[in-house]
Amino acid sequence: MTKSYFPEESTTFTRNIELLRGHRVAVLGHRRPDGDCIGSQVALTRVLNATGIESLAVNIDPVPRTLKAFVGDTPFFLAADLPAGEFLAVSVDCADHARVGDSVRDRFPNVLLNIDHHVSNTLYGETNLILPEACATGEILAGLFFDNELAVDSVAAQALYLGIATDTGQFCYSGTTASVFDICRRLCELGASPSQAAHELYECEKPGRIQLLQRFLASFRMEHEDRVCIGSITDDFYEETSTTPEDAENFVDYSRSLDGVEIGSLLEERNGQLKGSLRAKEHRYRVDLLAKQFSGGGHACAAGFNVERKLEDFYPEFVTAIGEHLRQVDAGGLS
Ligand SMILES: [Mn+2]
């Protein structure tokens, strides 16, 4: 007998596939889609089509440039271009219904099946397959497909691999278990190519993004005996490098990556607004509480906030707040 990944959920999944039969299906993803979202949409849409259920993927935002290669000939539609008529809706990687975007939610007020790995999922589907222990929605789908012996073609295999590789930070985060590698091994046997995925994701940068990164790295200021690193980006950086704020995605991770740095931060000045991102190496730092001081929030190790301030005017106050936070943590004052 072959291994079963998600026995209980796989039964629920099969039952739902039968409910979809005879209908057209829209596979919904979230706003500003990432690798796991696009990968999950590609895979589910293809697997459903292969079983004779006419399906297409729907997003409110376009597929990002670096992810286009993973879509292949999968039918993808922007919400505005969606053909008329009835569809049953299935969502993937969307923690709440609003995440699909307002116009998509209005078009699909009922979600038949909600498949996701976010612990915060609001269970808005008629059926909810939520597995917070899964590292990616791609891992859930791969397990469900394997358990049900559904045909996964090479494009779907690569798409599922994409979701797992990106949501685990290239197999670095704590959700990266033996089972994740087992699923990826099977995806490789079905045609997934880790080197091709890495090429598309990390070796097709546009020059402007590297120039933007160069400027961001040059902006680093070390504070509090080098325990804190703060980088900044201002509007003119984007203009000079022909980039947009989306190109600075994940830049904050560089500020945390330095040896000895415990809290990294990115301050982004856009249109007179300041967007702050905070990252800590350890949970005891609670950057969510720091962000809260500026009306933001998030998780212990990753948080953000927005303030209507100028960068240089805000900076000293920000550094002082982080210093006070470090003193509290050092004194054992936070749990
Ligand atoms: Mn995900």
Side-chain angles (χ1 to χ4, degrees), residues 34 36 93 117-118 136-137 167:
D34 60 4
D36 191 31
D93 205 42
H117 68 124
H118 292 99
T137 302
D167 262 25

Side-chain angles (χ1 to χ4, degrees), residues 169-188:
Q170 304 305 303
F171 307 97
C172 291
Y173 302 155
S174 58
T176 313
T177 60
S179 184
V180 167
F181 282 108
D182 180 52
I183 281 175
C184 287
R185 174 187 61 77
R186 292 183 62 173
L187 292 174
C188 287

Side-chain angles (χ1 to χ4, degrees), residues 106-124:
D106 293 348
R107 171 85 193 255
F108 303 103
N110 300 308
V111 174
L112 186 80
L113 181 60
N114 161 20
I115 305 173
D116 186 28
H117 68 124
H118 292 99
V119 67
S120 57
N121 193 290
T122 58
L123 312 180
Y124 54 86

Side-chain angles (χ1 to χ4, degrees), residues 43 46-47 50 141-142 145-146 149-158 160 186-187 190-191:
R46 298 184 81 83
V47 166
L141 286 174
F145 298 157
F146 292 150
E149 295 176 1
L150 291 165
V152 176
D153 70 7
S154 62
V155 176
Q158 180 75 334
L160 293 167
R186 292 183 62 173
L187 292 174
L190 292 166

